[in-house]
Amino acid sequence: MRTVEISEEPIRLGQFLKLAQLAEDGGHAKELIEDGEVHVNGSVELRRGAQLRDGDVVVVEGDEVRISVRR
């Protein structure tokens, strides 16, 4: 599992997927989410605007990323 730092929370799921390089762009992020391929803290997340916070874990196609707020 890798960690990606964000400057402030919350961050929207679609934005985070791009930041963490789990999606190539916004369209790809939308597609991944709509296809049910994105898990947040163990549950499928279907809302592109879902709010993510420090400590949340996002999984896409086996790639696990933990969110950390830069302090």
Side-chain angles (χ1 to χ4, degrees):
M1 179 183 309
R2 62 188 171 102
T3 300
V4 171
E5 289 186 345
I6 59 174
S7 57
E8 59 183 59
E9 60 182 345
I11 186 171
R12 292 183 185 181
L13 179 58
Q15 293 173 313
F16 183 74
L17 292 176
K18 293 182 291 184
L19 177 68
Q21 299 179 338
L22 295 169
E24 297 169 11
D25 55 33
H28 186 218
K30 180 179 178 183
E31 183 180 306
L32 289 169
I33 294 165
E34 287 178 350
D35 290 347
E37 295 184 38
V38 179
H39 292 75
V40 176
N41 299 327
S43 299
V44 173
E45 182 56 73
L46 299 173
R47 299 170 298 145
R48 192 168 56 170
Q51 303 288 303
L52 304 177
R53 301 192 179 280
D54 188 49
D56 285 346
V57 176
V58 178
V59 180
V60 177
E61 298 175 349
D63 192 359
E64 294 184 44
V65 181
R66 179 179 306 275
I67 298 170
S68 175
V69 176
R70 189 177 310 129
R71 304 202 191 268

